[in-house]
Amino acid sequence: MIRLAIQKSGRLSDDSLKLIRECGISFISTSSKLKTEATNFPLEILFLRDDDIPGYVADGVADIGIVGQNVLVEEGLQALSVKNLGFSKCRLSLAVSKGEAYTDVTSLKGKSIATSYPNLLQEFLTSKGVQADIHTISGSVEIAPSIGLADAVCDIVSSGSTLISNGLREVETVFKSEAVLISNQNLDAEKNRLLQQLLFRMEAVQQAQK
Ligand code: PRT
Ligand code: ZN
């Protein structure tokens, strides 16, 4: 039996469940359940918060998982990555107030930036040689400039409409992300065989969609 961790409820959930089903795996999922067992493959599915998935896979609580690269890399666990899955695409971007002057990334020198991704942001700023003040907050990052908490934000963007509705202008892409399959690095032979079977089926699903 191999244990897969997926997001319980959020932007990764539907496409994660869809991918497993497209791999020919049947299971009963109810929104209240925290785990379920497949009926036609030796697979157990755990439903977790996305932020917890990389850590649980690293620790072996789950054998494999599906998570956004943004969360995986922020947590410093990119070594667990096995396969890009092509859904939940988004980007981590820097944005400033609509009226704020901005020429390039050096405009952020000495400014305060609110984000839930301090590590990815710090790495980006360091690579550009820019020193800024990073304020780590866990949610509602987009309102930080309008309430005077920060000069700029660094947050996840997909359509861009959330930034616009908060009077913000996207100025730099910090990181591009999509969903990724991750694996514990010490799987036993049996679990590794099951992972290879799943990967084979996922390849076939992706080929069929091309
Ligand atoms: O409860 P749990 O902790 O499990 O979920 P969560 O609320 O932390 O995550 P969730 O479900 O919002 O996102 C899960 C993953 O989906 C993220 O880690 C990304 O990899 C990916 N993803 C794809 C997104 C988006 N698109 C997205 N648009 N994650 C967040 N957003 C948010 C963003 O934070 C902002 O508030 O949507 C808003 C912007 O959207 P647009 O379309 O207005 O630009
Ligand atoms: Zn989360």
Side-chain angles (χ1 to χ4, degrees):
M1 177 90 91
I2 190 165
R3 257 186 173 182
L4 167 72
I6 62 168
Q7 188 186 27
K8 181 167 165 46
S9 139
R11 289 184 167 86
L12 291 157
S13 306
D14 289 350
D15 284 341
S16 299
L17 289 171
K18 183 164 154 259
L19 174 63
I20 302 164
R21 290 208 162 95
E22 283 170 344
C23 286
I25 297 173
S26 306
F27 54 91
I28 298 161
S29 76
T30 53
S31 56
S32 60
K33 265 196 163 177
L34 296 179
K35 62 177 189 176
T36 190
E37 238 176 72
T39 53
N40 60 353
F41 193 90
L43 175 77
E44 184 175 54
I45 305 170
L46 304 184
F47 300 97
L48 301 170
R49 288 207 51 190
D50 68 341
D51 319 71
D52 295 334
I53 292 173
Y56 279 148
V57 170
D59 294 347
V61 174
D63 302 308
I64 56 177
I66 296 175
V67 73
Q69 289 168 322
N70 51 312
V71 168
L72 186 68
V73 178
E74 176 64 24
E75 295 182 9
L77 291 170
Q78 52 270 41
L80 305 183
S81 180
V82 174
K83 182 175 177 50
N84 290 4
L85 298 175
F87 59 83
S88 298
K89 286 191 177 171
C90 58
R91 56 197 185 271
L92 182 69
S93 288
L94 279 158
V96 298
S97 292
K98 217 169 36 193
E100 180 104 359
Y102 185 94
T103 44
D104 59 34
V105 67
T106 60
S107 304
L108 295 170
K109 224 169 240 171
K111 296 281 166 73
S112 64
I113 308 172
T115 189
S116 305
Y117 294 88
N119 296 324
L120 285 172
L121 176 57
Q122 185 60 66
E123 198 176 310
F124 175 81
L125 292 174
T126 302
S127 76
K128 302 286 181 189
V130 170
Q131 271 207 344
D133 211 4
I134 299 177
H135 287 264
T136 306
I137 55 178
S138 59
S140 305
V141 170
E142 296 96 342
I143 62 156
S146 66
I147 61 171
L149 192 68
D151 303 309
V153 301
C154 177
D155 199 10
I156 300 292
V157 180
S158 57
S159 69
S161 63
T162 303
L163 290 182
I164 291 169
S165 66
N166 284 284
L168 298 169
R169 176 163 67 100
E170 189 175 355
V171 291
E172 303 282 345
T173 302
V174 170
F175 185 82
K176 284 193 180 141
S177 180
E178 65 184 82
V180 63
L181 182 74
I182 60 173
S183 168
N184 178 270
Q185 292 178 300
N186 303 303
L187 294 186
D188 64 27
E190 174 60 12
K191 286 179 175 176
N192 200 40
R193 193 182 61 82
L194 293 172
L195 170 59
Q196 296 313 317
Q197 280 185 24
L198 282 173
L199 281 170
F200 183 79
R201 293 188 190 193
M202 286 178 185
E203 302 281 356
V205 170
Q206 288 185 339
Q207 282 303 323
Q209 283 166 351
K210 268 186 189 159

